[in-house]
Amino acid sequence: GHVASLDDFVRLVLRMDYGTGHLVAGGSEHHGGAPPERVWAMLTSFTPLQAVLVLAGAWRAYLTERWFFWWSLLAFVATAPAFAVYANLELTLEVARWVFERFSLLPHVLVAPLAAFGLLQLAALAARILTPARRADALAGVAVATVLGVVAGILLNYGRIDQSSNQVARQFVEDILETVEPNGVLVASGDHVVFPAGYLQAVEDKRPDVVLIMAPLLRGSWYVRHLQSRHPGLVIPFDHHEPSLP
């Protein structure tokens, strides 16, 4: 809301108001650690099988779809090693590692097509080994093995990762909202509060009378303008909040 100028946009993208060079705004105890350790943590989030498929796929993409290879490489560098360096998190802290792992998903998604290229490359290698009469079976064999692997992964892991019945975030934020007086203001910080609260208000229309303020964003003048536009009766005695102010 109310990113009204190029300066607003640049400051938002670079997080200049609340944490450029820090994945977690505030809380200097979370900052630090060696960049190589974060890069290694990001890279080792890939399994050996993923690494083999991605590397094989990258080679095939380089040979057949070079534009896709370079774009995939650029995207991976930006979201894995470069991001790991930028994050500036002390991974020996459990909370910091938890935050970091959430962002480790993006490079996995970006290189997934390369893994598919890798399967094609394995099929091509198998076809070279097989007799001409059996080469047509190579691709089918790889496809069947891939489907079986996906099904096996789902069966083995779904019960462990299924969170459909986990209502902790909802109940936690519902309890918080219940403590707010009618037409009150809730100043909140932390993803575990602002995201569930924002969802309940925007999607399920729960406690629409409550003004939700995301405290870290108050450092940006665009966010103050956004609040004033949505809630004309809300009095904010500054155009942006300086951390040094009370």
Side-chain angles (χ1 to χ4, degrees):
H2 286 78
V3 177
S5 66
L6 179 60
D7 180 64
D8 284 345
F9 178 75
V10 171
R11 297 185 71 85
L12 175 62
V13 172
L14 297 181
R15 299 163 53 96
M16 294 174 65
D17 296 311
Y18 54 93
T20 298
H22 304 296
L23 185 58
V24 176
S28 59
E29 69 276 5
H30 297 131
H31 303 156
E37 293 179 359
R38 294 192 296 274
V39 172
W40 180 246
M42 180 72 78
L43 295 179
T44 54
S45 66
F46 290 85
T47 66
L49 177 59
Q50 284 178 300
V52 170
L53 290 177
V54 169
L55 291 175
W59 175 244
R60 184 178 182 86
Y62 180 80
L63 295 176
T64 61
E65 302 288 347
R66 194 157 299 181
W67 68 270
F68 184 76
F69 166 81
W70 287 115
W71 276 111
S72 297
L73 179 62
L74 178 63
F76 179 77
V77 169
T79 59
F83 175 81
V85 173
Y86 166 84
N88 192 22
L89 280 176
E90 177 52 75
L91 297 186
T92 58
L93 300 176
E94 184 176 355
V95 172
R97 176 170 286 275
W98 175 76
V99 172
F100 185 78
E101 288 175 349
R102 289 166 51 194
F103 288 88
S104 299
L105 177 62
L106 183 55
H108 285 257
V109 174
L110 290 173
V111 300
L114 287 179
F117 272 82
L119 292 172
L120 293 175
Q121 183 67 13
L122 293 179
L125 292 175
R128 294 178 185 176
I129 299 174
L130 298 174
T131 61
R134 301 296 302 276
R135 287 176 182 174
D137 299 331
L139 185 59
V142 171
V144 170
T146 301
V147 172
L148 291 177
V150 171
V151 172
I154 293 174
L155 294 176
L156 292 173
N157 296 296
Y158 183 78
R160 178 175 58 85
I161 65 177
D162 177 26
Q163 298 294 312
S164 60
S165 61
N166 186 341
Q167 301 295 316
V168 172
R170 166 185 288 275
Q171 294 169 356
F172 175 62
V173 173
E174 284 179 339
D175 289 344
I176 293 176
L177 289 173
E178 285 299 317
T179 66
V180 183
E181 297 182 359
N183 300 308
V185 176
L186 173 61
V187 181
S189 181
D191 296 352
H192 61 295
V193 178
V194 297
F195 288 161
Y199 168 82
L200 289 177
Q201 285 191 315
V203 178
E204 301 190 11
D205 200 32
K206 290 184 179 292
R207 293 303 307 271
D209 60 300
V210 174
V211 177
L212 174 64
I213 297 179
M214 303 180 186
L217 299 186
L218 286 172
R219 301 180 186 183
S221 57
W222 63 269
Y223 182 64
V224 174
R225 293 195 302 270
H226 168 73
L227 290 174
Q228 293 171 332
S229 175
R230 290 194 61 186
H231 311 284
L234 181 65
V235 178
I236 304 179
F238 46 77
D239 60 2
H240 69 281
H241 181 256
E242 295 288 349
S244 59
L245 297 178

